[in-house]
Amino acid sequence: MQTWAGGDMSWTVAGAKAKLSEVMKRAQLAPQTITRNGKPSVVVVSADEWQKKIAHRGSLAEFLLASPLRSADLDTERQKDEPRDLRL
């Protein structure tokens, strides 16, 4: 059994097993959701879509250097307060 849900195609596990070729074909066009016990379990996407999702987009340092807050005048000085007294 398959149904349309939010632009994606939704399949039961049994339906996806029986029509795996169809699931793969449709995944080239749009993500395919496979449900188990009526709840979404996994999503099948095309290999191209997956590569876009996992593509390396630079290092953390590059991200921080490109931050719009880089030139902001932020106060980064730590407070030098003494620890408070605790009664144990």
Side-chain angles (χ1 to χ4, degrees):
M1 175 180 131
Q2 62 265 14
T3 58
W4 287 100
D8 296 351
M9 186 66 131
S10 181
W11 305 78
T12 62
V13 172
K17 281 182 183 180
K19 299 198 177 217
L20 181 58
S21 293
E22 182 69 16
V23 173
M24 292 172 63
K25 180 178 153 186
R26 290 179 185 237
Q28 298 299 316
L29 303 172
Q32 304 296 298
T33 302
I34 300 176
T35 62
R36 176 175 282 169
N37 299 323
K39 297 178 183 174
S41 181
V42 298
V43 176
V44 179
V45 296
S46 69
D48 289 340
E49 184 67 27
W50 182 249
Q51 288 304 317
K52 289 179 197 172
K53 205 64 155 160
I54 65 168
H56 183 57
R57 294 188 181 110
S59 68
L60 176 60
E62 291 169 338
F63 173 78
L64 294 173
L65 288 171
S67 170
L69 295 177
R70 183 169 184 225
S71 61
D73 188 25
L74 298 177
D75 181 15
T76 58
E77 187 72 29
R78 289 187 75 172
Q79 291 184 0
K80 296 182 177 157
D81 293 346
E82 295 294 322
R84 63 182 184 201
D85 291 328
L86 296 176
R87 290 178 27 183
L88 303 175

